């Protein structure tokens, strides 16, 4: 699709049902009916960044910070593997305590299990990304958040839009399966820029794309802004499926946070991945990137059983594979 076609669909709610059905068909034809589950470990909420939308931003003094030890991370991963996960995702704020040596040790230990490993730990240098890859990391998630450069710069004080893009191309060139994505509903974000986001995913040839609505957090400068619209986020996701037919697309936690059935609706509108939380219950509430996050009082066993039941109820199956793109 060209930019104008994408804009027309995003601007016309009469086309919603057609769009969601079309994305569901393309998902079925290209990646099948299996749903890949990725076990998400939120291992540190300490962050040096100041992203205006995020509750983990360093100026937020009202959040209790935590950091899992190396052994806790490795044990959490092992438990997730025992629950049947074939991919572990390590996510955190940009926490420099986990320097290259520490990260590489954790990566090597986790990769001793029969599991694929995804990192989501922010912007690093080429050499750092290379070291993680050499240690065994398979995939990396780094959302561009928005391709509107002005909006990007307003949302990310002291950060560089060019560097974020460079990071993504570095990850691609190092052979990572590279994930990106955007927030939908940021203040003053336009439909035109959302169309550009989708074209950017295509240009990068992203292997995974995560889309979620913006949810305002009380301890951030955006606390009084409106939350993103669930249906608009779903449309961006469905259009991403149509334009990148064979990639992996998660039904995101943020979708479920603003719509109680959000992940299942997303799975029926182009998504083929879910990332259940496998972090121990005591830390979950503290990883508050946005308020109202689901499953904060649950444990890894409960989350696995709960999502498996919902997926089977819509006639889909849980994959036993690693779930690489094109596999
Ligand atoms: N530090 C890592 C992980 C960030 S958290 C990194 O930079 O990639 C993962 C994602 O949560 C972010 O990429 C962002 O898109 C999303 N997020 C953060 N704050 C949010 C909010 N208030 N509402 C919705 N999504 C949010």
């Amino acid at each position: 699709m060209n930019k104008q076609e994408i804009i027309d669909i995003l601007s016309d709610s009469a086309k919603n049902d057609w769009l969601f059905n079309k994305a569901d068909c393309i998902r079925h034809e290209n990646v099948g009916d299996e749903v890949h589950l990725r076990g998400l470990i939120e291992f540190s909420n300490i962050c040096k960044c100041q992203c205006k939308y995020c509750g983990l931003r360093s100026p937020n003094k009202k959040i209790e910070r935590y950091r899992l030890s190396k052994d806790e991370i490795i044990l959490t991963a092992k438990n997730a593997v025992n629950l049947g996960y074939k991919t572990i995702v390590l996510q955190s704020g940009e926490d420099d305590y986990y320097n290259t040596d520490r990260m590489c040790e954790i990566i090597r230990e986790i990769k001793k299990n029969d599991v694929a490993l995804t990192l989501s730990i922010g912007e690093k240098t080429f050499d750092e990304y290379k070291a993680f890859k050499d240690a065994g990391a398979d995939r990396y998630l780094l959302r561009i958040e928005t391709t509107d450069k002005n909006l990007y710069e307003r949302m990310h004080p002291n950060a560089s839009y060019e560097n974020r893009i460079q990071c993504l191309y570095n990850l691609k060139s190092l052979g990572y399966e590279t994930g990106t994505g955007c927030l939908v509903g940021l203040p003053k974000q336009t439909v035109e820029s959302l169309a550009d986001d989708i074209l950017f995913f295509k240009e990068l040839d992203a292997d995974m794309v995560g889309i979620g609505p913006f949810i305002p957090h009380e301890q951030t400068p955006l606390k009084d802004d409106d939350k993103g619209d669930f249906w608009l986020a779903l449309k961006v996701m469905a259009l991403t499926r149509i334009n990148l037919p064979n990639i992996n697309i998660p039904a995101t936690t943020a979708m479920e946070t603003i719509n109680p059935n959000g992940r299942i609706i997303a799975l029926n509108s182009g998504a083929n991945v879910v990332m259940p939380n496998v972090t121990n219950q005591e830390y979950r509430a503290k990883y508050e990137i946005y308020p109202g996050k689901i499953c904060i009082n649950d444990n890894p066993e409960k989350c696995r059983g709960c999502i498996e039941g919902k997926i089977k109820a819509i006639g889909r199956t849980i994959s036993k594979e690693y779930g690489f793109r094109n596999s």
Side-chain angles (χ1 to χ4, degrees), residues 81-146:
V81 171
N82 289 337
L83 283 174
Y85 287 98
K86 301 298 282 178
T87 294
I88 299 296
V89 182
L90 294 181
Q91 192 180 80
S92 69
E94 293 212 9
D95 179 357
D96 286 338
Y97 170 82
Y98 291 101
N99 57 22
T100 311
D101 286 348
R102 288 192 171 113
M103 275 316 299
C104 286
E105 204 182 327
I106 293 166
I107 293 165
R108 277 191 293 269
E109 284 300 318
I110 293 180
K111 284 297 287 184
K112 287 180 182 165
N113 300 283
D114 175 26
V115 75
L117 181 59
T118 306
L119 302 179
S120 177
I121 59 176
E123 293 176 30
K124 306 281 173 188
T125 64
F126 182 92
D127 290 344
E128 288 171 303
Y129 287 149
K130 181 168 188 322
F132 304 154
K133 188 84 184 50
D134 292 343
D138 301 284
R139 311 189 187 120
Y140 207 103
L141 304 177
L142 187 76
R143 290 184 177 174
I144 187 65
E145 315 293 2
T146 174

Side-chain angles (χ1 to χ4, degrees), residues 171-286:
L171 290 163
K172 263 277 176 190
S173 74
L174 284 163
Y176 281 95
E177 282 212 331
T178 304
T180 189
C182 63
L183 285 164
V184 176
L186 289 170
K188 300 212 172 76
Q189 189 178 34
T190 62
V191 165
E192 287 74 16
S193 84
L194 291 170
D196 282 332
D197 294 352
I198 295 168
L199 297 176
F200 171 75
F201 307 152
K202 180 114 187 141
E203 189 177 299
L204 175 71
D205 189 26
D207 302 295
M208 309 170 277
V209 173
I211 313 273
F214 157 65
I215 303 168
H217 187 291
E218 195 52 39
Q219 308 312 328
T220 68
L222 305 186
K223 64 182 165 60
D224 296 323
D225 283 283
D226 290 335
K227 70 172 187 292
D229 179 68
F230 175 79
W231 298 103
L232 183 60
L234 196 70
K235 287 170 77 166
V236 175
M237 189 202 81
L239 283 161
T240 300
R241 168 62 69 201
I242 292 171
N243 284 280
L244 293 92
N246 67 2
I247 66 168
N248 284 315
I249 298 184
T252 57
T253 306
M255 295 256 198
E256 186 105 345
T257 300
I258 64 164
N259 182 315
N261 201 26
R263 289 181 299 180
I264 291 300
I265 296 172
L267 285 173
N268 283 327
S269 310
N272 71 320
V273 170
V274 179
M275 297 166 64
N277 200 326
V278 297
T279 318
N280 281 342
Q281 195 249 319
E282 57 180 307
Y283 300 111
R284 291 186 178 204
K286 294 180 189 150

